[in-house]
């Protein structure tokens, strides 16, 4: 059994407050969460459940952790995200009769279950307001051996277009405002729908294509940090020969330990960075650069059966 939820937070005059809900059925205080619907992804479930239980629409941030336990002998996992409120208001409903906005320490004291307190502690470990880059590997394209034209022009396959359509639904859950892409047709078409929905022009990133990255990996890495530091969240579509190296290098710079760095076609790395100090430029000391503090891998934008 799979479920998803979030630490829902808001800015209260410069301080962070989080939402804790009371479920009348269990007479407990918990973080908002709920089970996946059929054909739903885990991130989409988190957003839907938050709105159903709290009345607030939200924007997802970093993945916090997965909690596992059993319900009547059935294994259950719950994936928790950080999520910032966008709009809405609480109205008592069938599942939740009370909601309290509290500072983190007070919320932790009120929560009934230790795993919820652990999730909240992970949320509190880092700043709530982080930069986010959604680093996407292009969707499936026809086999290179079966394509006689310029490889830059190799198009998406039917399966690839299905992946691109799913990404068009998934990626907006993090509210990106910019779309960047390596200059390959398969990379461009993977995120074209996202750009169309945002009504923005895609920015080509030659240094983040395979041909542009490997002659000077440091320059490609700096370019990704520039994308991260720009105002607003970003989608960046690239290639399998680039993404693992970029993620590994960013993780090493940020002191993150990643056991492995998978990179399936149509997958997404949700990369969260600290904000740079003041006005930032690449000539500054690396200590002032955006720092990768969270990296979460989504193997597919398609819901599992």
């Amino acid at each position: 059994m799979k479920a998803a939820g979030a630490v829902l937070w808001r800015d209260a005059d410069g301080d962070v407050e989080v939402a804790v809900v009371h479920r009348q059925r269990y007479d407990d205080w918990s973080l908002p969460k709920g089970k996946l619907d059929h054909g739903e992804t885990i991130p989409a479930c988190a957003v839907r459940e938050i709105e159903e239980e709290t009345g607030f629409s939200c924007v997802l941030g970093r993945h916090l952790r997965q909690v596992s336990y059993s319900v009547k002998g059935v294994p259950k996992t719950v994936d928790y995200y950080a999520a910032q409120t966008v709009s809405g208001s609480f109205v008592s409903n069938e599942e939740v009769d009370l909601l309290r906005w509290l500072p983190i320490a007070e919320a932790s004291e009120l929560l009934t279950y230790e795993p919820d307190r652990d999730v909240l502690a992970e949320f509190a470990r880092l700043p709530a307001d982080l930069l986010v880059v959604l680093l996407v590997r292009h969707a499936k394209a026809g086999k290179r051996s079966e394509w006689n034209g310029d490889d830059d022009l190799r198009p998406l396959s039917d399966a690839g277009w299905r992946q691109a359509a799913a990404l068009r639904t998934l990626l907006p859950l993090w509210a990106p405002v910019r779309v960047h892409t390596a200059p390959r047709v398969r990379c461009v078409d993977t995120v074209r729908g996202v750009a169309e929905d945002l009504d923005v022009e895609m920015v080509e990133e030659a240094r983040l294509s395979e041909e542009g990255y490997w002659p000077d990996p440091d320059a490609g890495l700096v370019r990704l940090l520039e994308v991260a530091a720009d105002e607003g969240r970003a989608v960046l579509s690239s290639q399998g020969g680039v993404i693992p190296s970029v993620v590994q290098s960013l993780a090493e710079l940020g002191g993150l330990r990643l056991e492995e760095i998978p990179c399936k076609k149509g997958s997404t790395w949700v990369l969260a960075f600290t904000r740079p100090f003041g006005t930032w430029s690449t000539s500054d000391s690396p200590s002032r650069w955006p720092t990768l503090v969270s990296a979460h891998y989504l193997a597919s934008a398609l819901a599992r059966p």
Side-chain angles (χ1 to χ4, degrees), residues 194-214:
V194 178
E196 290 175 353
D197 292 342
L198 294 174
D199 194 24
V200 297
E201 295 291 330
M202 285 181 281
V203 179
E204 288 197 353
E205 301 292 349
R207 289 194 179 276
L208 292 165
S209 68
E210 290 176 351
E211 291 81 1
Y213 177 79
W214 284 109

Side-chain angles (χ1 to χ4, degrees), residues 40-58:
E40 186 174 46
T41 62
I42 287 173
C45 173
V47 171
R48 176 184 56 76
E49 284 289 340
I50 287 171
E51 185 157 17
E52 289 180 0
E53 291 195 356
T54 72
F56 289 93
S57 60
C58 68

Side-chain angles (χ1 to χ4, degrees), residues 164-186:
L167 286 164
R168 193 172 186 169
T169 299
L170 178 71
L171 299 182
L173 299 174
W174 283 268
V177 297
R178 295 175 289 118
V179 179
H180 301 249
T181 179
R184 302 288 179 271
V185 164
R186 53 193 179 276

Side-chain angles (χ1 to χ4, degrees), residues 255-269:
L256 286 182
R257 184 176 180 180
L258 302 177
E259 297 296 332
E260 57 181 346
I261 305 178
C263 187
K264 292 175 62 177
K265 292 177 181 177
S267 64
T268 301
W269 277 94

Side-chain angles (χ1 to χ4, degrees), residues 47-270:
V47 171
R48 176 184 56 76
E49 284 289 340
I50 287 171
E51 185 157 17
E52 289 180 0
E53 291 195 356
T54 72
F56 289 93
S57 60
C58 68
V59 171
L60 292 182
R62 68 185 177 102
H63 183 268
L64 298 174
R65 63 166 40 187
Q66 184 182 86
V67 174
S68 301
Y69 54 94
S70 294
V71 178
K72 296 180 180 179
V74 178
K76 182 176 181 178
T77 61
V78 186
D79 283 87
Y80 286 95
Y81 292 84
Q84 185 176 14
T85 57
V86 174
S87 61
S89 60
F90 175 71
V91 176
S92 179
N93 55 75
E94 291 183 359
E95 294 192 43
V96 174
D97 60 343
L98 295 170
L99 180 148
R100 292 185 184 176
W101 287 104
L102 297 170
I104 292 171
E106 293 180 32
S108 183
E109 290 179 0
L110 184 60
L111 287 168
T112 302
Y113 306 111
E114 187 66 28
D116 281 3
R117 290 192 285 273
D118 292 341
V119 171
L120 187 56
E122 172 57 28
F123 170 79
R125 186 177 63 83
L126 295 170
D129 188 18
L130 296 169
L131 304 167
V132 173
V133 173
L134 303 166
L135 182 57
V136 179
R137 184 180 178 186
H138 68 76
K140 293 180 179 179
K143 293 181 180 179
R144 184 176 301 185
S145 61
E146 297 176 359
W147 175 253
N148 296 322
D150 185 340
D151 188 59
D152 291 358
L153 304 179
R154 183 155 49 96
L156 298 183
S157 64
D158 289 344
W161 282 112
R162 289 193 292 272
Q163 290 177 317
L167 286 164
R168 193 172 186 169
T169 299
L170 178 71
L171 299 182
L173 299 174
W174 283 268
V177 297
R178 295 175 289 118
V179 179
H180 301 249
T181 179
R184 302 288 179 271
V185 164
R186 53 193 179 276
C187 295
V188 172
D189 284 348
T190 296
V191 294
R192 182 185 301 278
V194 178
E196 290 175 353
D197 292 342
L198 294 174
D199 194 24
V200 297
E201 295 291 330
M202 285 181 281
V203 179
E204 288 197 353
E205 301 292 349
R207 289 194 179 276
L208 292 165
S209 68
E210 290 176 351
E211 291 81 1
Y213 177 79
W214 284 109
D216 190 351
D218 287 345
L221 197 66
V222 167
R223 179 57 195 146
L224 191 143
L225 289 173
E226 289 175 335
V227 170
D230 282 348
E231 189 64 29
R233 298 172 171 205
V235 170
L236 199 161
S237 177
S238 187
Q239 297 175 267
V242 173
I243 291 172
S245 174
V246 165
V247 174
Q248 180 65 46
S249 297
L250 290 170
E252 290 174 357
L253 288 171
L256 286 182
R257 184 176 180 180
L258 302 177
E259 297 296 332
E260 57 181 346
I261 305 178
C263 187
K264 292 175 62 177
K265 292 177 181 177
S267 64
T268 301
W269 277 94
V270 181

